[in-house]
Amino acid sequence: MQVAIVKYNAGNIYSVLHALRRVGAEPVLTDDAEVIRRADRVVFPGQGEAATTIASLRRLGLDRLIPTLTQPVLGICIGQQLMCASSEEGGGTECLGIFPDSRVRRFVPRTTDDKIPHMGWNTVRAAQSPLFEGVGDGTYFYFIHSYYVPACAEAIAVADYSGTPFAAAMRRGNFFATQFHPEKSGAAGERLLRNFLNL
Amino acid sequence: MLAKRIIPCLDVKDGQTVKGTNFVNLRRAGDPVALGKAYSEQGADELVFLDITATHEGRKTFADMVSRVAAEINIPFTVGGGISELADVERMLDAGADKVSINSAALRRPALIDEIVRRFGSQVCVVAIDAKQTDGGDWTCYLAGGRVATERGLFEWAREAADRGAGEILFTSMDHDGVKQGFANDALARLHRALPIPVIASGGAGAMAHFRDAFVEGCADAALAASVFHFGEIPIPALKRYLQDEGIPVRL
């Protein structure tokens, strides 16, 4: 099975490469549209700022490619956010629109207990989905983000922070996404990555 | 619910862990990767690897170690020690580190924080602060591993670091470090109230109750310790069960 990791100007990409290797895949890190299009699975990872990362995708022409992919695609963290219609980050940034009804917003702290970024291990409530097969309700995953996708119909897992329920994972057809980092989420994260490869 | 994090810290010199290795039957007890993996399997939430090497060769060995950690360990980890410019940060992130901790270099040149944040994002930038309480009750920041006093106060420096975009503050009380009588909870609570970003408590862990106090009284988001873990005095699974029984959210 050919797994392509989309290479663009975003951090944390090597962690995904290592994690996929640990679960038995042989991923390639690439910005080549043909390699991405032909792959059996595509992972769209990253950490970074929305306007900068989307600009990097546009430069590579990948902003047009990604929404047309037909194989299972997994967006991670900024990957999930860039798959939405737009983001508040960067003063309003137009994104890929794969989740056309979702707009990314910034957490607003209610008290001094609500620190931004939302950083660390938080529990998620997952709906029935092949991505969460064998992952118990209330499992902890590792998050690190300041912006979020509000809970919505396309959310297949929800978490809470700062009194706000948000989409911890999403799905629309062949497009899957997680706000948390499965590549940094211990055994539960590796199970989720295996599930994605087995879709 | 967001869990409070437990973070073992490993000091690394010339690619080997420096202190305390008798907590598990590891064949390669001095190997930071094997030790880090053991901690991860015991339920550590993150790891910190601190490079205390002074030589150029040692630094290269450390970067190699970071690559091995990234390949083998499935939880987040921070690296620190001797990071003084953007190129050092880039080298560590390229090797696979999730976060980088800066200390003396940030005190000497605070704009380094802005540069890291602009280039790599807040989430990679941990500002470590070593501070000591003066007779008057104020807290003074130290650099060079606690050897050199500065003019900066703990609270105003932490605030500036947060304003410049740091993602987290790792506060070590030099007065509490190594004494094993508990963390500096008053100062931690004050940092918590003053800062919009998470605070990691460091220095003073000697008993499981000290962790509870750091979370309850100090309002810390995470607690870091070294020797109590390395010498097996506090096993992480027992610590987490204890904290859960005390009503503190932890990842089990």
Side-chain angles (χ1 to χ4, degrees):
Chain A
M1 178 187 284
Q2 182 73 261
V3 181
I5 302 172
V6 180
K7 183 182 173 188
Y8 65 118
N9 184 25
N12 209 35
I13 278 183
Y14 293 98
S15 306
V16 176
L17 187 76
H18 289 307
L20 286 166
R21 282 184 187 144
R22 283 195 299 270
V23 299
E26 288 172 22
V28 292
L29 199 53
T30 180
D31 57 8
D32 184 320
E34 261 320 292
V35 175
I36 294 170
R37 188 181 293 287
R38 283 200 312 269
D40 301 298
R41 298 284 182 278
V42 174
V43 179
F44 178 37
Q47 278 181 355
E49 194 271 329
T52 317
T53 45
I54 203 90
S56 162
L57 284 178
R58 289 202 182 105
R59 245 190 334 272
L60 296 162
L62 299 176
D63 61 316
R64 290 189 304 278
L65 171 75
I66 292 169
T68 65
L69 294 174
T70 54
Q71 67 274 61
V73 176
L74 178 65
I76 297 173
C77 195
I78 191 76
Q80 168 174 293
Q81 297 183 6
L82 294 181
M83 286 158 83
C84 294
S86 66
S87 172
E88 276 183 8
E89 193 174 18
T93 301
E94 195 188 330
C95 298
L96 302 179
I98 292 165
F99 301 118
D101 303 322
S102 290
R103 287 167 208 291
V104 179
R105 305 177 62 176
R106 188 176 166 87
F107 281 119
V108 179
R110 296 164 310 167
T111 69
T112 52
D113 286 336
D114 298 332
K115 305 301 183 187
I116 311 294
H118 170 224
M119 182 186 292
W121 298 80
N122 204 339
T123 50
V124 311
R125 302 185 299 280
Q128 282 288 334
S129 166
L131 197 62
F132 284 88
E133 181 74 40
V135 177
D137 208 31
T139 298
Y140 279 98
F141 287 94
Y142 184 76
F143 292 85
I144 181 161
H145 60 123
S146 302
Y147 290 79
Y148 69 95
V149 182
C152 58
E154 283 156 336
I156 54 172
V158 174
D160 292 291
Y161 190 63
S162 185
T164 306
F166 67 92
M170 301 171 77
R171 178 185 185 178
R172 184 182 175 96
N174 60 309
F175 291 96
F176 294 79
T178 63
Q179 179 59 66
F180 53 80
H181 288 276
E183 75 279 13
K184 287 287 159 185
S185 293
E190 287 181 351
R191 176 64 199 256
L192 188 137
L193 289 175
R194 241 179 252 118
N195 288 344
F196 173 69
L197 296 176
N198 291 336
L199 283 172
Chain B
M1 187 159 198
L2 187 62
K4 299 289 189 183
R5 287 170 280 152
I6 299 295
I7 308 177
C9 178
L10 292 82
D11 287 348
V12 179
K13 189 173 184 187
D14 299 320
Q16 296 286 302
T17 48
V18 172
K19 58 182 171 184
T21 46
N22 55 351
F23 87 108
V24 280
N25 292 320
L26 283 175
R27 267 190 301 117
R28 296 174 296 149
D31 177 14
V33 183
L35 194 56
K37 203 166 179 176
Y39 281 133
S40 165
E41 282 159 8
Q42 289 190 347
D45 296 304
E46 284 186 42
L47 298 169
V48 172
F49 294 88
L50 219 46
D51 184 13
I52 59 166
T53 316
T55 63
H56 182 69
E57 290 73 31
R59 293 235 181 277
K60 195 176 170 312
T61 310
F62 187 74
D64 294 342
M65 182 218 76
V66 172
S67 306
R68 285 174 50 226
V69 171
E72 295 190 31
I73 294 180
N74 59 15
I75 59 170
F77 69 100
T78 301
V79 298
I83 288 167
S84 55
E85 53 186 80
L86 214 50
D88 299 327
V89 177
E90 186 161 25
R91 196 160 47 246
M92 289 296 120
L93 297 180
D94 280 352
D98 297 291
K99 308 177 192 176
V100 167
S101 140
I102 53 171
N103 190 334
S104 302
L107 274 164
R108 290 194 180 104
R109 198 172 68 81
L112 179 62
I113 300 170
D114 307 63
E115 292 167 13
I116 294 171
V117 169
R118 214 175 309 127
R119 180 81 174 274
F120 306 106
S122 284
Q123 78 283 348
V124 309
C125 185
V126 180
V127 173
I129 305 178
D130 298 333
K132 203 174 185 169
Q133 201 162 18
T134 60
D135 293 337
D138 293 336
W139 288 82
T140 301
C141 298
Y142 280 68
L143 48 74
R147 290 190 297 274
V148 180
T150 70
E151 303 282 294
R152 305 299 304 259
L154 166 64
F155 301 103
E156 51 97 7
W157 169 234
R159 181 75 229 184
E160 180 179 335
D163 288 345
R164 287 179 181 272
E168 255 175 322
I169 297 293
L170 165 53
F171 162 51
T172 302
S173 163
M174 293 163 59
D175 298 317
H176 295 71
D177 201 22
V179 184
K180 299 197 169 189
Q181 297 296 312
F183 294 87
N185 296 322
D186 291 342
L188 282 165
R190 212 174 134 190
L191 283 173
H192 169 81
R193 286 193 302 272
L195 300 178
I197 58 175
V199 176
I200 305 168
S202 161
M208 292 201 270
H210 296 154
F211 288 88
R212 176 200 60 203
D213 296 344
F215 293 134
V216 175
E217 293 168 26
C219 303
D221 298 281
L224 176 144
S227 59
V228 289
F229 297 139
H230 301 328
F231 292 110
E233 293 160 24
I234 300 181
I236 291 173
L239 173 60
K240 287 204 153 176
R241 279 194 303 276
Y242 164 82
L243 291 170
Q244 188 181 47
D245 289 344
E246 293 289 314
I248 292 159
V250 286
R251 178 178 69 109
L252 278 172

